[in-house]
Amino acid sequence: MSTLTFLGAVGEVTGSRYLIDIDDDAPVKLLLECGLRQGGPDAERRNAEPMADLARSLSVVVISHGHLDHAGLLPRLVREGYRGPIHCTGETLELLDIMLRDAAAVMGRDLEWENRRRIRAGRQPLQALYEQTDVDRALEQCVPHSYGEVVTLPGDARLVFRDAGHILGSAIVELNVPSGGRRRQIVFSGDLGNPGSPLMRDPERVSGADVVLMESTYGNRDHRPQEESIEEFAQVLEAAHDEGGNVLIPAFAVGRTQEILFHLSRLHHAGRLRQQRVFLDSPMAIRVTELYARNWRALDQKDVSSLNESAGGEPHRFLPGFRATRTVEESMEINRIHGGAVIIAGSGMCTGGRILHHLRYNLGRSSTHIVIAGFQAAGTLGRALVDGATEVRVLGETLPVRAQIHTIGGFSAHAGQRDLLSWAGAFRDEPRLYLVHGETVAREALREALLAHGLHAVIPELEEVVAL
């Protein structure tokens, strides 16, 4: 009998990892996802846990999309001995080339600073989770596929990717595996997109499954309608302009940044963006935005057409006043601006990156408006701001929070509760539903909502093993 083991993203949103043991003539171990844990006091320790035994036992790895909480530990898996294929979509491979290299560089810089401090204190230096050479090997092992392509895997398993509508290249994963003399259809939602979000197509519906792993990030609430969120965003921009302050937007480099730039462009052409300067202050987000532009055919063509029409087909007119700041020196210059600017910078949960420097210079000003446009995991600085902290630690300093904080949930790239229920309702024959990628409150609320719709769902525990 084949089994499924929940190794991550249960009771939390990050650290996605699931192990499928395929009971065939020659047993095969398949790893679905290899995500980095982000936020919380134990994340660093858990990311550093040995992976050698797992790495050397695996035959194949499958990745749903390029966010680090789903794929950020791939180089560590390779570093500790995995030498098999890593299956993903073609666009995901392009994103991983950006995301993993950036992650290795950031970790390297942070580790160098931390080890200097530890050595001065007479403590043992820490080891890197992985380095650029490990990223190179991981990327070499990636095998790209198109949506709908049927891929034969070891253990007589079959793989198909479907469009999840979350970010460029994101996929719903279908796995068909032998188990106890029969075949079982496993469907992993990955991160399901928010239907109606710009640039992305709506998530595909899947009807056939025996076992479903479904994300529950927003299982306890719905997002505001897109039109209301855009209006709220416009009003925040207007208020910041009138008060003479800056607008800070901590944004994920993949998906959220591109959506925000889309909205800013539309607001500009509607005459509702009074700020004359818009900075994208994230080298990684700049590279990802360029990747989106190159892969425009993979995006929602209605939105692409609307951008072209409003700009008269001239890219430089999409968002006049836009500036991509790649260098540290350019980023530092922004901190001299005390008002009238929109500053988009990573990281999306304020756990690192250039947004921290902008928060340092702007948090104490009541004229500053901070737009939180995505999920903030427990234990992150972004979550503290959302929860109303009056002071926070930033770059080793305790800073007062006088800035105005705005949470605009309609910009989320995740499906809300209503959309999750609709997606789950498309399955026939009542498959076993396991709720993953959600904090406790969200998972329990989604389970109750599913039950009210006649669908039974299970909340798995970490390292729980279930038969397929």
Side-chain angles (χ1 to χ4, degrees):
M1 182 72 70
S2 297
T3 60
L4 166 67
T5 306
F6 297 88
L7 297 180
V10 286
E12 59 182 326
V13 174
T14 67
S16 187
R17 198 189 312 172
Y18 313 98
L19 180 65
I20 298 173
D21 283 275
I22 300 175
D23 177 24
D24 196 23
D25 294 334
V28 164
K29 289 183 180 292
L30 182 154
L31 188 67
L32 175 59
E33 311 281 74
C34 192
L36 194 72
R37 286 182 169 88
Q38 299 168 303
D42 292 334
E44 191 172 306
R45 176 188 61 79
R46 293 171 71 185
N47 286 331
E49 290 173 351
M51 300 180 73
D53 289 345
L54 174 66
R56 292 167 186 159
S57 70
L58 293 173
S59 300
V60 62
V61 174
V62 176
I63 299 296
S64 70
H65 66 284
H67 274 147
L68 292 180
D69 60 325
H70 290 257
L73 281 183
L74 280 174
R76 182 166 178 81
L77 190 73
V78 168
R79 181 188 183 106
E80 300 211 9
Y82 178 64
R83 295 294 178 264
I86 300 167
H87 296 277
C88 59
T89 67
E91 292 85 2
T92 292
L93 176 53
E94 291 186 84
L95 278 174
L96 288 176
D97 196 5
I98 298 172
M99 302 289 285
L100 295 178
R101 293 190 191 285
D102 183 83
V106 170
M107 283 190 280
R109 289 194 296 269
D110 290 348
L111 186 66
E112 183 179 359
W113 181 87
E114 173 64 19
N115 280 341
R116 283 202 300 265
R117 191 178 66 83
R118 293 174 73 91
I119 290 169
R120 285 197 301 268
R123 300 166 64 193
Q124 281 290 106
L126 299 174
Q127 298 296 313
L129 287 179
Y130 51 81
E131 299 171 349
Q132 293 292 350
T133 53
D134 305 309
V135 174
D136 292 339
R137 284 197 293 266
L139 293 171
E140 289 170 2
Q141 290 170 224
C142 287
V143 183
H145 304 286
S146 302
Y147 292 129
E149 176 185 347
V150 180
V151 183
T152 301
L153 303 179
D156 193 28
R158 291 190 288 274
L159 162 70
V160 177
F161 290 120
R162 308 287 183 193
D163 193 344
H166 176 58
I167 62 170
L168 185 68
S170 61
I172 298 161
V173 179
E174 295 184 22
L175 289 166
N176 188 281
V177 304
S179 179
R182 301 177 61 187
R183 299 197 69 86
R184 292 288 184 270
Q185 183 81 353
I186 306 164
V187 174
F188 173 48
S189 69
D191 283 351
L192 289 173
N194 184 1
S197 291
L199 300 178
M200 293 294 103
R201 302 183 183 116
D202 288 351
E204 289 190 49
R205 298 295 187 93
V206 182
S207 58
D210 298 296
V211 174
V212 177
L213 279 65
M214 189 170 79
E215 72 129 312
S216 54
T217 308
Y218 286 98
N220 59 334
R221 59 192 186 276
D222 286 315
H223 304 307
R224 291 179 65 186
Q226 186 80 194
E227 298 76 14
E228 292 182 16
S229 297
I230 296 169
E231 179 60 30
E232 182 182 0
F233 188 37
Q235 290 175 9
V236 170
L237 294 167
E238 181 76 17
H241 180 272
D242 290 343
E243 295 166 20
N246 291 323
V247 178
L248 270 56
I249 308 176
F252 299 98
V254 185
R256 197 63 40 79
T257 291
Q258 293 72 40
E259 179 178 356
I260 289 167
L261 289 173
F262 175 89
H263 290 310
L264 287 171
S265 177
R266 297 301 301 275
L267 288 170
H268 164 76
H269 288 286
R272 302 197 64 188
L273 178 64
R274 296 171 66 188
Q275 282 83 356
Q276 298 300 308
R277 292 173 291 189
V278 176
F279 296 96
L280 178 53
D281 190 31
S282 164
M284 180 168 66
I286 294 166
R287 293 195 297 273
V288 172
T289 301
E290 293 168 344
L291 177 62
Y292 268 61
R294 291 196 300 274
N295 286 272
W296 62 270
R297 290 183 179 83
L299 305 176
D300 187 301
Q301 293 305 294
K302 297 190 301 297
D303 293 330
V304 172
S305 296
S306 72
L307 274 182
N308 283 324
E309 289 170 10
S310 61
E314 299 178 37
H316 69 277
R317 293 184 57 204
F318 286 160
L319 186 56
F322 171 77
R323 181 179 172 191
T325 52
R326 300 175 191 268
T327 68
V328 172
E329 292 74 20
E330 289 175 312
S331 178
M332 291 172 65
E333 288 176 9
I334 300 173
N335 290 322
R336 298 175 186 158
I337 301 171
H338 299 300
V342 177
I343 305 165
I344 307 165
S347 66
M349 296 186 194
C350 305
T351 53
R354 293 182 179 179
I355 192 64
L356 295 181
H357 296 276
H358 300 305
L359 289 170
R360 181 185 177 193
Y361 282 91
N362 289 273
L363 264 179
R365 299 185 184 126
S366 60
S367 61
T368 298
H369 291 252
I370 298 175
V371 175
I372 302 295
F375 183 82
Q376 306 296 308
T380 64
L381 174 56
R383 181 66 163 264
L385 293 173
V386 168
D387 289 344
T390 57
E391 61 179 30
V392 292
R393 294 280 291 178
V394 178
L395 298 173
E397 295 182 55
T398 300
L399 301 176
V401 180
R402 299 190 183 97
Q404 300 173 58
I405 313 298
H406 309 270
T407 302
I408 303 183
F411 288 171
S412 175
H414 287 264
Q417 187 190 76
R418 184 187 302 110
D419 304 312
L420 292 170
L421 293 173
S422 176
W423 188 81
F427 288 100
R428 57 177 183 268
D429 301 328
E430 297 185 16
R432 276 185 286 158
L433 281 167
Y434 292 96
L435 302 184
V436 296
H437 273 277
E439 294 176 358
T440 300
V441 172
R443 289 201 297 170
E444 290 179 349
L446 183 58
R447 179 174 63 177
E448 292 302 314
L450 285 164
L451 188 61
H453 284 72
L455 299 170
H456 178 69
V458 176
I459 295 179
E461 299 294 331
L462 186 64
E463 298 186 354
E464 182 176 346
V465 181
V466 298
L468 295 174

